[in-house]
Amino acid sequence: MSLEDTLRDDPERIASILDHTNVDPTATEAAVRTLCEEVLEYGFCSAVVVPYHAPLASELLDGDANVVAVIGFPYGIQNSAAKRSEVEALRGHVDEFDMVMNRTAFANGDRESVVDDVEAVKEAVGAKTLKCIIESPALTRPEIRRAAALVEEGGADFVKTAVGYDGPTDAAEIRAIREATGPDTQIKASGGISTFEEALEMVAAGATRIGASSSVEIYESTQ
């Protein structure tokens, strides 16, 4: 049974693919505690936080859900050594890393630098999961396909759509990523997803993970 069919048959299972997110730069410890409490209460896959809050999230979740930290956030313009340093400082607290592609290198057609950047971060991540954000709402469909192919070439486990600063993700972006990548590369849809139906649309297009600050609303819209 496909993931889409599974979710149509049992909508509450959406919780298992939701990365519950708070990457607000002004997020407080109290807000992160609430985030993690909701992850545990609803059975979400992960809590996604900025690096500063990763140790706290790790302590609160205590292995019962994944901790995800964003790397090179939000524009990906840091050099690879800086991104690697972020990863190395966090490995003891973090299960998955959501890095941002070097958007400046991509905009300048520097394909080699884009791939090398992902490869460098993947080497630091090791056996843990690496997702790479291409900020698809800011790209044309051909650009999405090119970016996704480069991220896959660099060794990322997931192509992730967006940090959410350039507008919401739509299903056409997911389909463009799927067209450019092989079956072993997964897709995380994020950016403006706030209902079960919207999440299901992304899954139908090829996403296997959903990132959202509205995870509770998504789950409760299945009721």
Side-chain angles (χ1 to χ4, degrees), residues 28-42:
T28 63
E29 178 180 316
V32 172
R33 287 184 178 278
T34 297
L35 182 85
C36 291
E37 287 167 2
E38 290 171 345
V39 167
L40 296 175
E41 177 182 355
Y42 290 91

Side-chain angles (χ1 to χ4, degrees), residues 114-134:
V114 173
V115 174
D116 288 350
D117 186 53
V118 180
E119 285 181 341
V121 176
K122 180 58 180 175
E123 182 180 1
V125 167
K128 295 187 177 185
T129 297
L130 176 65
K131 312 185 200 85
C132 188
I133 303 163
I134 63 172

Side-chain angles (χ1 to χ4, degrees), residues 87-204:
V87 169
E88 289 162 0
L90 293 167
R91 271 194 304 232
H93 305 291
V94 172
D95 303 290
E96 300 183 347
F97 296 88
D98 285 16
M99 73 172 285
V100 185
M101 175 186 74
N102 190 321
R103 295 179 62 188
T104 304
F106 182 78
N108 281 274
D110 187 354
R111 299 167 62 92
E112 183 177 356
S113 289
V114 173
V115 174
D116 288 350
D117 186 53
V118 180
E119 285 181 341
V121 176
K122 180 58 180 175
E123 182 180 1
V125 167
K128 295 187 177 185
T129 297
L130 176 65
K131 312 185 200 85
C132 188
I133 303 163
I134 63 172
E135 203 56 35
S136 55
L139 303 176
T140 65
R141 297 297 179 265
E143 287 171 337
I144 290 171
R145 287 189 283 271
R146 287 198 297 274
L150 293 175
V151 165
E152 180 179 63
E153 184 179 345
D157 302 291
F158 282 74
V159 180
K160 179 178 171 182
T161 56
V163 303
Y165 291 176
D166 287 293
T169 292
D170 64 41
E173 294 163 26
I174 304 299
R175 289 191 287 270
I177 294 169
R178 187 74 284 160
E179 290 164 4
T181 55
D184 292 336
T185 299
Q186 298 190 65
I187 302 172
K188 177 176 173 178
S190 60
I193 303 166
S194 59
T195 69
F196 173 74
E197 288 303 323
E198 290 170 351
L200 187 61
E201 183 181 11
M202 300 301 171
V203 170

